Structures are given as C-alpha cells and as structure tokens.
C-alpha cells in the first residue's frame, strides 16, 4: 500500500475520532502529519487525553508495541508564554505545591533546567 494512501486513511480516522470527541465536549488539537507520538490532544474539564490513532483489530502484539508509549509517565504543566520584546520570552506557571503562587522565569532558563525544577 502506498505511503500516500496510508496517510489519507490515517488522516480520515483521526478526523473521525476528533469529531466524536468534539461531539462529547472536548477541544481537540490534531497533530497533522507530525509522525510524532500523539495524533490528537483532547481537553475537557481538566481532563487531557493524549491519543495515538491506530487502524485494525485490537491484538496483543499491537498493544505490546504501544506499551512504552502508554506507560511513559507524564508531567503536566499549564503555562502562558509572553514575548516581552528584544527576543526575551517569559514563562508563567503556578507552583506545583501552592496553586496560588505564580512562578515567572525566562524561557531559555526554563528550557535549560526543565520545568520540573520549577514545579517542585
């Protein structure tokens, strides 16, 4: 099967699942043609679903291939990024322990150290 044909099938399935999620109140972002880990990101009432869309029967060997992806722990960080001029970008997020306390960092420092250091 040609790669272009497989892409079209996958895209069609992603749109079908996206439509279903939206009918149930989710906001959905599709990662078009990214070849990344997640095809869809769906958000509703504080629930975030990272979704990999596959075609075909649910079979043990297929699930086994997906286990590393499904078992990987996630860290959720809700952030706002501000461009403040002269190439400077600030990241604003809440403290992971005290939800009323905001942390403001430079984007470069944040990315160098990782958001985990700021959320602990």
């Amino acid at each position: 099967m040609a790669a272009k044909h497989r892409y079209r099938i996958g895209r069609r399935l992603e749109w079908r699942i996206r439509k279903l999620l939206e009918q149930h109140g989710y906001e959905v972002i599709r990662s078009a043609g990214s070849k990344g880990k997640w095809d869809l990101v769906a958000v509703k009432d504080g629930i975030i679903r990272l979704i990999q869309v596959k075609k075909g029967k649910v079979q043990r060997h297929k699930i086994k291939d997906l286990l590393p992806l499904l078992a990987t722990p996630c860290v959720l960080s809700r952030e706002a990024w501000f461009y403040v001029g002269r190439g400077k970008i600030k990241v604003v997020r809440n403290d992971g322990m005290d939800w009323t306390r905001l942390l403001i960092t430079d984007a470069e420092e944040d990315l160098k150290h990782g958001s985990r250091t700021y959320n602990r």
Side-chain angles (χ1 to χ4, degrees), residues 13-32 38-44 47-51 53:
L13 293 172
E14 289 167 9
W15 278 99
R16 179 180 287 176
I17 292 168
R18 178 183 182 159
K19 185 176 179 181
L20 176 66
L21 288 161
E22 288 174 341
Q23 288 171 347
H24 287 273
Y26 283 89
E27 291 182 46
V28 183
I29 299 167
R30 180 176 169 262
S31 180
W38 308 109
D39 298 317
L40 302 171
V41 177
V43 180
K44 174 185 169 185
I47 298 168
I48 299 172
R49 299 179 110 154
L50 303 174
I51 300 168
V53 176

Side-chain angles (χ1 to χ4, degrees), residues 46-119:
I47 298 168
I48 299 172
R49 299 179 110 154
L50 303 174
I51 300 168
Q52 174 62 243
V53 176
K54 295 291 182 194
K55 181 182 183 295
K57 295 179 182 176
V58 178
Q59 297 172 331
R60 286 198 186 278
H61 72 277
K62 289 182 182 178
I63 295 171
K64 202 175 199 179
D65 293 341
L66 290 172
L67 280 179
L69 181 66
L70 300 176
T72 304
C74 292
V75 174
L76 171 66
S77 180
R78 290 174 274 183
E79 306 171 344
W81 288 43
F82 289 85
Y83 177 77
V84 294
R86 297 185 185 209
K88 295 287 184 184
I89 299 171
K90 296 286 186 178
V91 178
V92 179
R93 76 167 63 77
N94 62 9
D95 181 332
M97 303 303 275
D98 179 359
W99 297 101
T100 61
R101 186 170 153 233
L102 291 178
L103 299 174
I104 302 171
T105 59
D106 289 324
E108 289 293 330
E109 285 296 310
D110 188 272
L111 294 170
K112 186 175 9 171
H113 296 294
S115 60
R116 294 177 190 191
T117 59
Y118 294 109
N119 279 339

